[in-house]
Amino acid sequence: MRRFRWWVAGGAVLFVVALLAVFVFSGPETPPQRRHGPPGTGPLTIVSLGDSTLSGEGAGGYTPDTDGLNGNWCHRSPKATVFETDVPGIEQKVNLACSGAPSAQIALGDVKQWTETSQAQRLAELTRTHRVAAVVIAIGANDEPHFSARIADCVKAWFSSGAPPCSEKLRQDWKPQVDAMVPKVVNALGDVKKVLANAGYLPEDYQLVLQSYAAPIGPGVPENLRNLNGCPFRIEDLNWVRQEGVPVLTDGLRTAATQAGARFLDLSRAGNGHEACTGGDNPASEWFSRLSLQLSDLTKIDRASHATQESFHPNANGHAQFGRCLTEFLGTTEPASACLAGADGNLHPAASIRPPS
């Protein structure tokens, strides 16, 4: 059942309390009133932490300081998911996510990603000037699963006609790798909760959301695009990503969210029918980038190795849809939901139980 979050209902609650005070005499001692919302001062803020899924990789328009300047390739985009949310009462949106970040860089500690220090520590600094109402996190794919690297392996398999599909080996190791990822995600979520507790936050002062990953590729790629013009993958590997790889990864993240006491937003089916190349001659219907090559980067030594970094990530359309679903999810009290396409073609949160495979 949906209900307004405190940042919507808080004003109404205070108004009712004030009316009651006119008609009811207080006793000799007035019990302390429960505050509504995060402690401290500053704008009410939603914050995103994590890796490329939330940094905005693939959406383009990256801030200059995260587009290779001094070795920083976090690729934060103004079109990233957090900036596509529209939560009532939220005054600012802050993106601390960094492309390629492992769970250890989100957690407290000394691990860096593209020159940037702990995201949890940066969140701690943010609480001095902002009131954090929600923290949305996407992590885990860059731990043992190394999801982006595995997608790259499948591209390499397309070149090797005599070799087996990449999914044959991935199928053997994928579940153990996801299982090894889970405690690292739990630890990172725990550090985020620790940071907020140290800043005086109570659990009910904010929302903590762990989101999973959408499949960037899947069945339905036209034959004329199963090549370097778009999506160079074998059919078996396209099937594996959507039908096995992403669902197993999602189950692991759902387990991590439960263990850490976080809400869970399942994106595993969010992109079905909108994966890279599925639009054929109409890429505008796709929510993920195709094989992308920045030719200008190839002429510069310090940028050449990042020329394909945007490939197979949510594009601006995808981030807009994910932001829409996240907005609606934050307005509910459900512990978990899945982003699924509604009758209007847009994503909305629904029951997160997957159909039997």
Side-chain angles (χ1 to χ4, degrees):
M1 178 181 295
R2 292 172 181 251
R3 67 184 184 193
F4 290 113
R5 302 300 300 180
W6 61 262
W7 54 76
V8 179
V13 171
L14 292 176
F15 177 71
V16 172
V17 170
L19 284 179
L20 290 175
V22 175
F23 300 104
V24 180
F25 290 103
S26 62
E29 292 186 5
T30 302
Q33 288 189 342
R34 167 74 175 91
R35 68 166 182 261
H36 292 276
T41 59
L44 208 58
T45 304
I46 179 173
V47 184
S48 57
L49 309 178
D51 55 31
S52 58
T53 296
L54 284 177
S55 75
E57 184 76 77
Y62 311 113
T63 59
D65 60 317
T66 65
D67 192 25
L69 184 65
N70 298 321
N72 188 324
W73 290 93
C74 286
H75 270 184
R76 283 195 283 273
S77 171
K79 300 175 184 178
T81 295
V82 69
F83 300 117
E84 298 295 338
T85 58
D86 186 19
V87 179
I90 291 295
E91 301 168 88
Q92 286 196 17
K93 305 163 187 178
V94 176
N95 185 10
L96 299 178
C98 180
S99 185
S103 294
Q105 195 260 339
I106 285 78
L108 295 170
D110 299 325
V111 175
K112 293 184 178 182
Q113 177 66 18
W114 301 128
T115 74
E116 292 199 358
T117 56
S118 161
Q119 292 182 34
Q121 183 57 49
R122 297 181 70 189
L123 176 65
E125 297 165 1
L126 189 70
T127 60
R128 300 170 188 168
T129 54
H130 294 67
R131 301 171 66 226
V132 177
V135 180
V136 57
I137 302 176
I139 51 175
N142 294 303
D143 295 322
E144 280 77 2
H146 295 292
F147 190 41
S148 292
R150 301 292 78 81
I151 295 294
D153 288 343
C154 290
V155 171
K156 296 174 184 176
W158 176 84
F159 283 96
S160 305
S161 59
C166 74
S167 52
E168 286 193 14
K169 184 176 189 310
L170 290 176
R171 187 175 288 112
Q172 300 171 15
D173 302 331
W174 192 244
K175 180 65 164 57
Q177 290 172 342
V178 170
D179 289 344
M181 168 204 78
V182 171
K184 297 181 179 181
V185 174
V186 173
N187 179 68
L189 293 173
D191 279 356
V192 169
K193 295 172 69 174
K194 183 188 302 181
V195 159
L196 293 173
N198 289 343
Y201 285 66
L202 300 174
E204 56 267 33
D205 288 334
Y206 66 97
Q207 295 194 55
L208 178 62
V209 176
L210 176 68
Q211 72 172 44
S212 68
Y213 299 87
I217 54 176
V221 175
E223 282 302 304
N224 67 319
L225 287 177
R226 276 200 317 111
N227 51 45
L228 293 176
N229 289 324
C231 296
F233 297 98
R234 297 189 186 186
I235 294 175
E236 302 95 324
D237 297 336
L238 291 170
N239 290 332
W240 180 85
V241 169
R242 185 204 275 186
Q243 297 171 6
E244 297 181 53
V246 168
V248 170
L249 179 58
T250 301
D251 289 342
L253 291 168
R254 182 183 292 107
T255 297
T258 300
Q259 292 181 5
R263 301 181 73 201
F264 183 65
L265 189 59
D266 177 356
L267 298 185
S268 62
R269 290 165 284 164
N272 286 9
H274 296 277
E275 297 97 337
C277 296
T278 54
D281 294 333
N282 180 26
S285 67
E286 298 166 10
W287 296 351
F288 301 84
S289 57
R290 302 179 177 188
L291 179 64
S292 303
L293 177 63
Q294 300 299 324
L295 293 175
S296 60
D297 286 349
L298 295 178
T299 64
K300 303 172 185 177
I301 295 177
D302 60 332
R303 301 185 68 88
S305 62
H306 300 274
T308 61
Q309 186 171 318
E310 294 180 305
S311 302
F312 309 116
H313 283 85
N315 60 23
N317 292 335
H319 282 281
Q321 287 290 336
F322 299 158
R324 171 196 295 272
C325 186
L326 176 60
T327 294
E328 295 184 12
F329 181 59
L330 290 172
T332 75
T333 58
E334 300 298 329
S337 290
C339 290
L340 300 176
D344 60 358
N346 295 315
L347 293 180
H348 303 281
S352 62
I353 300 176
R354 291 186 60 84
S357 56

